Amino acid sequence: MSKSLKGKTVVITGSGRSIGREMAIRIAAEGASVALLEINKENLEEVRSTIAAAGGDVRAYEIDLGSESQIIETISKVEKDFGKIDCLINNAMICPSEDLLNTTLESWNKTLQITLTAPFLCIRQVLPAMIKRKNGGIINIGTVNAKAHFGSDSYSSAKAGVHALTRTVAVRYGPDGIRCNTIVPGTINTDAWQERVDQNPNIFEELKPWYPVGRVGTPKDIADAALFLISDDSQWISGSELLVDGGLLAGYAPMFATVEGSDK
Ligand SMILES: NC(=O)c1ccc[n+]([C@@H]2O[C@H](COP(=O)([O-])OP(=O)(O)OC[C@H]3O[C@@H](n4cnc5c(N)ncnc54)[C@H](O)[C@@H]3O)[C@@H](O)[C@H]2O)c1
């Protein structure tokens, strides 16, 4: 590893498993100090000890991102523990599968609370010190669901807000030295899919034809993009939506052969 992120402190929400876990491990391996924010205590400790055992500089913060006061307290604690925050990655979310007509107001509000409001609160909390230092990076993990309909109705609406939040931060605080970008993943094989995999063990195989690159994604695909956006190699990139979707949004892959008649 090049240790290219040495001296930087990176906060990652929802870093107890899947994409958040992978980003934390890879970013720590590049020499950054990593603050893990996660609600699941066991998973939080597993990631902390994995990174520490590899020699990484890491601290774990158990938090419910549904609580404004916990976000305020935790971000202040991270700033105190590490001295500064260089980068925030808003990764945590919840993604109920019910359709709109079966979505209760309670479920809708909860989805927006964790998926959209928590990123807003985390950003509001880290920005003042970043603006003071005239330097800061924010990465919001978005989704292809914010660009086209693929189900998960309340989650998709919340994520569309996350994409807009990126633009707001990038434009309003760009002159203060802040860069803010959205990573836009397609299907990533993670624990979040377990319920659907239990119902259909073939689900990732069946999704393959929609992906021009020929497979669904892995947490590594997203961690690679996050490393780029944190690094000095992306200093003029802000307000962007970095599609990491195996080509999904470039076109409706199974459709064009029918249109051309070349499927006959
Ligand atoms: N997996 C995919 O196919 C996919 C596709 C597009 C976008 N994404 C995005 O990637 C990101 C990570 O997805 P994933 O598949 O790794 O999800 P995941 O469910 O495996 O991980 C989410 C993490 O967030 C934590 N979390 C949830 N609620 C929390 C709370 N209240 N407080 C603190 N932590 C909380 C969970 O405990 C979990 O560790 C999300 O932003 C998701 O929207 C994922």
Side-chain angles (χ1 to χ4, degrees), residues 102-156:
N102 288 300
T103 300
T104 62
L105 180 60
E106 193 189 2
S107 169
W108 174 271
N109 284 341
K110 178 83 182 153
T111 306
L112 262 71
Q113 180 76 35
I114 305 305
T115 308
L116 174 59
T117 306
F120 148 64
L121 292 171
C122 289
I123 289 169
R124 198 186 63 183
Q125 212 52 31
V126 300
L127 267 181
M130 286 180 171
I131 290 171
K132 221 180 218 171
R133 288 189 296 109
K134 283 256 164 214
N135 191 14
I138 293 166
I139 299 173
N140 293 322
I141 308 296
T143 172
V144 292
N145 289 48
K147 314 288 289 176
H149 179 71
F150 299 103
S152 305
D153 300 0
S154 57
Y155 163 83
S156 302

Side-chain angles (χ1 to χ4, degrees), residues 54-211:
D57 184 22
V58 60
R59 280 175 192 255
Y61 302 85
E62 191 185 341
I63 182 174
D64 179 357
L65 290 159
S67 156
E68 180 184 18
S69 61
Q70 286 189 38
I71 289 175
I72 292 170
E73 275 164 36
T74 303
I75 297 290
S76 306
K77 198 159 185 327
V78 174
E79 283 174 335
K80 216 161 131 217
D81 290 345
F82 289 102
K84 66 181 167 84
I85 295 169
D86 297 284
C87 180
L88 163 69
I89 305 182
N90 282 310
N91 169 74
M93 57 95 196
I94 52 171
C95 181
S97 52
E98 63 259 359
D99 65 52
L100 211 62
L101 285 179
N102 288 300
T103 300
T104 62
L105 180 60
E106 193 189 2
S107 169
W108 174 271
N109 284 341
K110 178 83 182 153
T111 306
L112 262 71
Q113 180 76 35
I114 305 305
T115 308
L116 174 59
T117 306
F120 148 64
L121 292 171
C122 289
I123 289 169
R124 198 186 63 183
Q125 212 52 31
V126 300
L127 267 181
M130 286 180 171
I131 290 171
K132 221 180 218 171
R133 288 189 296 109
K134 283 256 164 214
N135 191 14
I138 293 166
I139 299 173
N140 293 322
I141 308 296
T143 172
V144 292
N145 289 48
K147 314 288 289 176
H149 179 71
F150 299 103
S152 305
D153 300 0
S154 57
Y155 163 83
S156 302
S157 293
K159 284 288 187 178
V162 170
H163 286 223
L165 185 59
T166 293
R167 293 191 288 272
T168 299
V169 174
V171 175
R172 193 177 286 284
Y173 302 107
D176 297 302
I178 310 300
R179 289 191 305 125
C180 185
N181 292 289
T182 307
I183 293 175
V184 188
T187 303
I188 309 293
N189 184 343
T190 73
D191 296 327
W193 281 78
Q194 197 51 54
E195 207 177 304
R196 287 175 222 166
V197 170
D198 290 344
Q199 282 166 14
N200 175 8
N202 239 357
I203 192 163
F204 295 126
E205 273 305 306
E206 288 174 18
L207 285 170
K208 264 188 187 177
W210 291 95
Y211 284 89

